[in-house]
Amino acid sequence: MLGEQDLGHRIVVRRVVGTRAGRPVYSDALGELVEVSDSHLTLTTRTGQVRVPITEVHRAKRVPPARRPAADAVIELELAADEAWPAPVRVRLGDWLLRAADGWTGRANSALPVGDPDRPLPAALDEVERWYAARGQQPLVTTPLPLAAPVGAELDLRGWGSRPTVLVQTVALPLLTTPPETDLDAMPPEAELGAASRGAGLGAASSKPGGAVSAAVIELADEPSEQWLAVAASRKGGLPEAGRHVLTAVDQVRFAHAYVDGALVAVGRGTVTGQGRWLGLSLIEVLPPARGQGHATALTRALGRWAQAAGATQAFLQVEQHNTPAVTLYRKLGFTTHHTYRTRTPPTP
């Protein structure tokens, strides 16, 4: 039976829908798995979401993606993501990028091997190791898949390990910014995100003690507030000057703040990169007392509306495959997996 490790993957479910002449009648559903519970599997198909009771499941398994993204599409998105999370130190190795940000986040402190490194692959990886060693840092390599599969294979031969698989997910902005008839503001707490110019009036209801309800007000600012930065520092284990650079050194960036009765309850960050096409979403974080009240959804849609007004047409985000609450939320917002990546780590001496 499928489990949480299969969330975000394409699956096929064969279910029993009745009997005919004493024999079971089956129906197949094909789509992306968005929820696993003790009672149901939920998948997104071309015609909408399908909930299959576990008692009706005859067989369920992963299947290959409908098609692999073209190499140029993966490169375009990876470069837009790099532009949205800019390391202060950047060096070219042919087309590859070597990045450093005083160790703040793996993405900003890893080599991005897309394109031609202008030398044989083993020599390129030797140079990556030398460059990070000279900086006193552990070398890391981010391998977008399947594009960088040859790099991954060479790292396997060298005994390198891997951090958890990350899903790079995308959605068209019109889909993200238009709420469905049944919205997500009443999602259960476990489906909210956590460790996680002005606009107003965009948001979800927030329950007060005694059952009273206050509307969350969302503000999009050019600069993060100190409270916003404190939330980011708590999530990322600190915030050095290099981290501030990563967060702010983008031409088009907005920092979303959600307030209830003047108190900060959620934050988020949006960037527009990739020649103005891509909204990049990051650090969507809801503080523990406010989870389960739709703030992550409201923040995400507010950033989507800002990016759409700026001319962007697509949104992307990066989420670890095993982060079930986040994967579930983003699937319900319409995100699907474009490709994956793994951050590779050298063997322990």
Side-chain angles (χ1 to χ4, degrees), residues 203-208 211-217 259-262 293 295:
S206 178
S207 297
K208 286 182 173 181
V213 174
S214 294
V217 175
Y259 296 97
V260 173
D261 296 335
Q293 298 163 14
H295 300 311

Side-chain angles (χ1 to χ4, degrees), residues 7 32-37 40-43 51 328 332:
L7 287 167
E32 294 195 24
L33 184 64
V34 298
E35 185 179 16
V36 178
S37 72
H40 287 80
L41 298 177
T42 304
L43 60 159
R51 295 184 77 224
T328 300
K332 290 182 177 180

Side-chain angles (χ1 to χ4, degrees), residues 34-35 49 180 182-193 204-205 207 286 290-298 300-301 324-333:
V34 298
E35 185 179 16
Q49 284 201 350
T182 302
D183 209 338
L184 304 177
D185 290 344
M187 292 179 66
E190 63 270 18
E192 268 292 22
L193 297 184
S207 297
V286 181
R291 292 178 188 164
Q293 298 163 14
H295 300 311
T297 299
T300 301
R301 290 205 173 113
T324 303
V327 170
T328 300
L329 172 62
Y330 292 137
R331 287 293 173 179
K332 290 182 177 180
L333 284 169

Side-chain angles (χ1 to χ4, degrees), residues 62-130:
R62 283 194 200 183
V63 294
R67 62 181 183 277
R68 291 184 172 184
D72 57 352
V74 175
I75 291 172
E76 176 196 350
L77 185 47
E78 284 294 324
L79 293 180
D82 171 72
E83 187 184 346
W85 201 255
V89 179
R90 302 161 62 80
V91 171
R92 288 279 182 182
L93 183 65
D95 293 329
W96 288 18
L97 279 171
L98 310 184
R99 307 171 291 187
D102 292 341
W104 195 77
T105 76
R107 274 185 283 164
N109 290 275
S110 62
L112 180 62
V114 296
D116 184 357
D118 286 343
R119 64 207 71 198
L121 179 55
L125 291 174
D126 289 343
E127 181 59 30
V128 168
E129 293 183 357
R130 282 194 292 269

Side-chain angles (χ1 to χ4, degrees), residues 18-44:
T19 59
R20 182 181 300 141
R23 300 171 65 89
V25 176
Y26 301 106
S27 175
D28 291 344
L30 178 66
E32 294 195 24
L33 184 64
V34 298
E35 185 179 16
V36 178
S37 72
D38 292 337
S39 59
H40 287 80
L41 298 177
T42 304
L43 60 159
T44 299

